[in-house]
Every structure is written in structure tokens, then in C-alpha cells.
Amino acid sequence: MKKYLLFSVGLILITALIPNMFFKLANGDPQEASAIPRELTSYSKVVKKVMPAVVSIESKSKAVTKERGFLPRRFFPIPEIPEDFRKFFGQFPDQFDFGDEFSPMLGFASGFVIDPSGIILTNNHVVKGADKVIVEFQDGRKFTAKEIRSDPKTDLAILIIDGNNFPSLKMGNSNKIEIGDRVLAIGAPFGLIGSVTAGIISGKGRNLQMNMYEEFIQTDAAINPGNSGGPLVDLEGNVIGVNTAIKTRTGGWQGVGLAIASDLVEKVWPQLHKDGKVKRGFLGIQVAKLDPDVASRLGVPKNQGVLISKVFENTPAFKAGLKDGDVLISIQGKKVRDGQQVQQIVTGLLADKIVELGIVREGKSIVVSVTIEEQPQEFGLSTQHPLQNQEADGTTLENLGIKIADLNSERAKQFGFKKASEGAVITYVEPGSLAFEAGVERGHLITKVNNQAVKNAEVARKALQSSSLEKGILLQMQSPHNGTSFALLKVVSGK
């Protein structure tokens, strides 16, 4: 009887649980469903929403002749782009048969309508040097841009076309996107208008030194020649980036696409539309990252400050008395930790505004008042020339892995200095040496050793040889292009 009762109770419990088990299997556990979202079966709704506002862009220059020895820019790599990176505006030389006179196409790329009144957003490198730009919509309508307004410092540009009530896209908030979010890249890769690729956000806040001002979103959505200027959108159809470049070793897509973040775009295109240019605050300094060990030796607070490597002449910083080698630790009382933060703060300041800068100079904290000016349009766009490759001479310091010599007139010319100067110029750095690992470079002029000025190579040699590598030797150096820098030469225990 007891066995029967136990069996009956067990049967009742199993009967009661089975429907619930089947319900969970059929509908999914609520907690599990919220943790792991269902896979999308199609992006068609997003594409239909976005596609009408995406355009292809054809850039042309004035007619030239073969006898003038000219070839379109698209036949050559852009020299200012770092190795392994490519900005794509289209390269299809095999599709064209040029006669004795032709109108070469500088670029075939993408863009999108950002304002219904006829404002097209794209990359500056797409339209740079173009005399005529043709915009084509997905429905076949073509327009010639009546005006091109560019900002080379962010590689962004807008085109203005006649008309109104154009389909347009909304800008999203790139700060709110997260790594792993799904995105779509839309454009005209290899001239295939209206192409869509899907991927995820692979990284945020990438700073790759391709432009003066930049903030890149990284994605694994395929980006190829012709995609430049097209939108990177979220699954609601909002633009969170402008497709610009890829990192590649083959010349084609390898899973690392780069798009200019929408938050940076939003700071640029409205000014281009309103004023035809971007107005930025200007200090006139070049800054560099400060090594924590060097910062400690200079008396800089922990996790704070950037090195002012160069103060340009006749700029607000120069007029206020800032010097190469100063360490900037705050702007208007706000602590600064890296160059990008300094850049964002300064460019957002208005001209004629007086700001207070917290500075550490030779171990002492001071406050300097500076009157901000508007940044000159040409600032930061000039190129620098590499050092000439001449045979190294000078005194060898084997324990450091360098050769040093006096900076006479001949060496000043060789390394790009305006004139001979006091100090010891580094003529050679041995790869893998202590100096090499500390970031010391050929062409740097040693001006101080452990905060003591050195007049020539012999004084520098004595100071370096009498200093302790176990305690660390602090070098202050000068270069013709990058200004002041510091390096700490130190033997780490166990090496």
C-alpha cells in the first residue's frame, strides 16, 4: 500500500512537471532568452530604410594630355597614409582607355545625404583635387555638386547639390555603441553601387595618426575600394560612422575596417555647412606622451600630464611664455592625461578666451594664463622630411648603444637643425640597445643629462659615463621636427 502511494505521488509530480518542461522547451526560458538574443534572419528592413539616401560619387579633374606627363592620382598610393593603411576612393585603371586628351577620374566612392536640402557627406580624400563631382542616387538621378567644402584635418567633406526633400539619414551616437553591436556598411565597392556588408563593432576610440584629428570605429564589416565616404549604420538605420579606410597587408579587406565616429562628424559638418570651414581653438604646442618613470623624475603627479615637446613661434603658447620641456598637467583646473584629451579641450575653446594652464617646469608647479586664438587653417597640414641617410660618426658609448658628436654647421644641416647649437647630437642608435628600447632616436640633440646642461659631446660623454644606470639616467633631447623629448636610460634588475 505504501509503495502504491509513493508511486502515485511520483506520477502526479511528473505529470505536473511535464507540461511546464515542454512549455520551456517550446518558448525558451525567459532568463536565457534575454541573455542570448535571437539571430536576425534578415537586414532588409534596415537596408530599405537607409539605401535611398546613399549615393555614389564620381570625382573628375580638368582635361590634361599625356604629353604633360600626368597620370591621375588614383594610379598611385597616397604618400601621407601610414604603411598598412589604405583610404579607398576607387582604383579601376583597367576599365579606362585614355586617348591623347582625357578627363581623368580622381575617385569613385560613396557618400550619403545628411540634410534633406541637398547636403552630401563624404571623405575629403574622395574629392580632394577634383574640379567636378557627380553624385548619383540609387534611383538613377544624377547631380553635379555646386560646392565642395572640406576639412582635411578630419578627412571629411560635404557636397552641396541643387534640390530639396532628398531622403536623408540621421546621425547616431557613437559613444553609446558597444563592442559586439551589429552594423552594416553601405557603399559602392569596386563601383558596385548599393552594396551592403554586415559585421560587428570590433573596437572604439582608435587613434591611428592618419589625420590630425581622429576617432575611428573599427569593424569587421567588409570595406573595399569605393566604400570610402559611405555610412556605417546600426540596426535602426542611424549613422554611427563614415567608412574611411582599412588596415591591410594585401591591399584588400582583411577584416579591419575603419570608420570616422559620428560624434566627431557631428562637430565638423555643421560648421562646414554654416561657415565653409571648421573653427578650432589654438594654443600652438605639440605634445607627447609622458613615460611614468620620466614623469616621476620631473616631479609630475602620478597618472597626470603630457610633455610639451614643442612650442611654435608667434602662437598663444609662445606669447604666454610656455617652453619646450614644460609638462602640461591641467587646463582650466581640469587634469589632463593624454594628448587626445588636450586636443579635444583646446579645439573646443573659443578665440580670445583666457584660460589657465597648470604647468610643471623643472620640478616646480606654476600657472600660466594664455589667450586662445583661432587655429590657422594651414596648421598641421605641412609635411616633414626624413633625415638624410649618411654614415654615422662620433664618440661611441657602447653601454648605451649610441654615438654622439658636436652639432656643428655640417651636422646641423644633415639632421635638419637651423644652425649649430650646444649639446651632443646622436648620430647612431644601435637596434635593440638600451637607448633604442628607451625611445632614443638618431638626430636627437642631447641638451641635458640628469637635468644638467651639456655644452658639447665631450661634456655629455663624461656626464653619461659618470651616471648610474641602476638609478637611471634622464636625458632631455631636442629634435628639429618634434621639439623636446625625454628618455630614461635604466638597467632593470635581472637584465
Side-chain angles (χ1 to χ4, degrees):
M1 186 68 178
K2 288 182 180 180
K3 290 182 179 180
Y4 178 78
L5 286 173
L6 288 171
F7 177 79
S8 300
V9 171
L11 185 62
I12 293 170
L13 287 172
I14 291 171
T15 307
L17 288 171
I18 286 175
N20 190 42
M21 290 170 61
F22 276 109
F23 177 83
K24 285 188 175 184
L25 288 171
N27 297 280
D29 186 87
Q31 291 182 346
E32 291 181 2
S34 61
I36 305 175
R38 276 183 163 185
E39 184 70 27
L40 285 177
T41 56
S42 175
Y43 299 110
S44 61
K45 289 185 178 179
V46 183
V47 173
K48 288 176 182 178
K49 177 180 179 182
V50 172
M51 194 65 79
V54 180
V55 300
S56 60
I57 295 174
E58 187 178 342
S59 302
K60 295 183 178 181
S61 70
K62 291 179 180 178
V64 294
T65 61
K66 286 184 178 179
E67 284 72 18
R68 289 172 60 186
F70 173 86
L71 281 177
R73 189 184 68 204
R74 62 190 175 85
F75 286 97
F76 304 99
I78 303 175
E80 64 268 21
I81 299 175
E83 189 177 358
D84 284 356
F85 288 93
R86 297 289 181 272
K87 292 178 179 177
F88 281 134
F89 50 85
Q91 299 182 45
F92 317 111
D94 56 317
Q95 296 183 13
F96 300 93
D97 181 18
F98 297 126
D100 290 333
E101 187 170 305
F102 55 93
S103 180
M105 189 171 71
L106 289 178
F108 189 88
S110 308
F112 58 94
V113 181
I114 192 63
D115 188 278
S117 63
I119 310 299
I120 311 291
L121 187 62
T122 188
N123 286 128
N124 172 62
H125 74 261
V126 168
V127 295
K128 182 180 178 181
D131 299 299
K132 184 179 181 180
V133 177
I134 299 172
V135 174
E136 183 176 357
F137 283 80
Q138 304 297 319
D139 59 11
R141 288 180 297 164
K142 290 186 177 182
F143 299 83
T144 299
K146 64 179 183 180
E147 196 170 348
I148 303 170
R149 300 177 182 179
S150 299
D151 181 43
K153 296 175 184 179
T154 55
D155 193 23
L156 290 169
I158 62 169
L159 310 174
I160 301 176
I161 60 176
D162 284 325
N164 52 57
N165 295 324
F166 290 102
S168 62
L169 301 183
K170 292 183 179 180
M171 298 299 292
N173 188 338
S174 56
N175 278 334
K176 290 185 177 180
I177 61 172
E178 296 183 7
I179 295 174
D181 285 354
R182 295 173 185 161
V183 289
L184 304 178
I186 304 177
F190 301 107
L192 300 172
I193 299 172
S195 295
V196 181
T197 55
I200 62 169
I201 299 296
S202 306
K204 295 174 58 178
R206 301 298 195 206
N207 192 316
L208 307 169
Q209 299 182 349
M210 296 175 68
N211 307 310
M212 186 174 178
Y213 300 105
E214 61 183 27
E215 183 184 349
F216 286 113
I217 295 170
Q218 180 185 334
T219 178
D220 67 348
I223 295 175
N224 283 293
N227 268 117
S228 273
L232 184 72
V233 302
D234 60 23
L235 297 191
E236 293 181 359
N238 298 317
V239 179
I240 50 122
V242 177
N243 300 319
T244 298
I246 65 171
K247 183 170 175 63
T248 176
R249 292 183 179 179
T250 65
W253 177 74
Q254 288 187 293
V256 182
L258 302 164
I260 301 172
S262 62
D263 285 354
L264 178 57
V265 177
E266 284 277 62
K267 296 174 183 176
V268 173
W269 86 263
Q271 290 194 62
L272 288 177
H273 184 210
K274 180 182 177 183
D275 304 317
K277 64 178 183 178
V278 180
K279 296 179 181 179
R280 297 180 172 97
F282 180 58
L283 266 180
I285 61 174
Q286 182 171 291
V287 300
K289 185 178 180 181
L290 197 59
D291 180 89
D293 291 333
V294 173
S296 177
R297 294 288 290 265
L298 296 176
V300 178
K302 189 176 182 180
N303 298 323
Q304 192 174 341
V306 294
L307 174 67
I308 298 178
S309 59
K310 192 166 188 175
V311 178
F312 297 94
E313 293 184 3
N314 301 317
T315 63
F318 181 85
K319 296 170 187 175
L322 268 66
K323 300 179 180 180
D324 293 1
D326 285 346
V327 178
L328 176 62
I329 60 173
S330 67
I331 302 175
Q332 290 292 76
K334 184 175 182 178
K335 296 177 182 180
V336 294
R337 295 179 177 82
D338 57 57
Q340 189 172 12
Q341 184 186 15
V342 172
Q343 191 181 69
Q344 290 173 349
I345 295 173
V346 173
T347 55
L349 296 173
L350 298 175
D352 300 323
K353 182 177 178 62
I354 299 174
V355 298
E356 291 188 341
L357 307 181
I359 302 292
V360 173
R361 178 181 296 167
E362 297 179 353
K364 298 180 180 178
S365 296
I366 59 175
V367 176
V368 178
S369 295
V370 182
T371 302
I372 299 296
E373 296 178 7
E374 183 178 329
Q375 186 184 96
Q377 291 300 306
E378 68 278 6
F379 180 76
L381 297 179
S382 61
T383 57
Q384 299 174 350
H385 300 285
L387 297 175
Q388 297 179 25
N389 186 20
Q390 296 187 11
E391 186 176 351
D393 61 353
T395 301
T396 301
L397 298 172
E398 292 185 0
N399 61 331
L400 304 180
I402 60 174
K403 285 186 178 182
I404 59 174
D406 293 339
L407 187 67
N408 55 26
S409 299
E410 183 180 345
R411 293 192 186 99
K413 184 178 180 180
Q414 173 187 349
F415 291 109
F417 289 91
K418 292 181 180 179
K419 59 182 180 179
S421 180
E422 292 185 349
V425 67
I426 299 169
T427 60
Y428 173 76
V429 179
E430 183 181 351
S433 65
L434 187 65
F436 179 88
E437 294 297 332
V440 175
E441 297 179 13
R442 178 174 180 263
H444 281 177
L445 179 68
I446 300 173
T447 57
K448 289 183 181 181
V449 176
N450 289 331
N451 295 321
Q452 298 298 312
V454 293
K455 292 185 177 182
N456 53 44
E458 179 59 19
V459 175
R461 181 190 66 79
K462 290 180 179 179
L464 289 167
Q465 289 184 339
S466 63
S467 299
S468 170
L469 284 172
E470 284 72 27
K471 294 180 180 179
I473 304 173
L474 182 65
L475 300 185
Q476 182 170 330
M477 299 170 291
Q478 189 80 17
S479 84
H481 303 306
N482 300 320
T484 297
S485 62
F486 289 89
L488 185 64
L489 308 180
K490 189 174 182 179
V491 174
V492 181
S493 178
K495 285 192 174 182

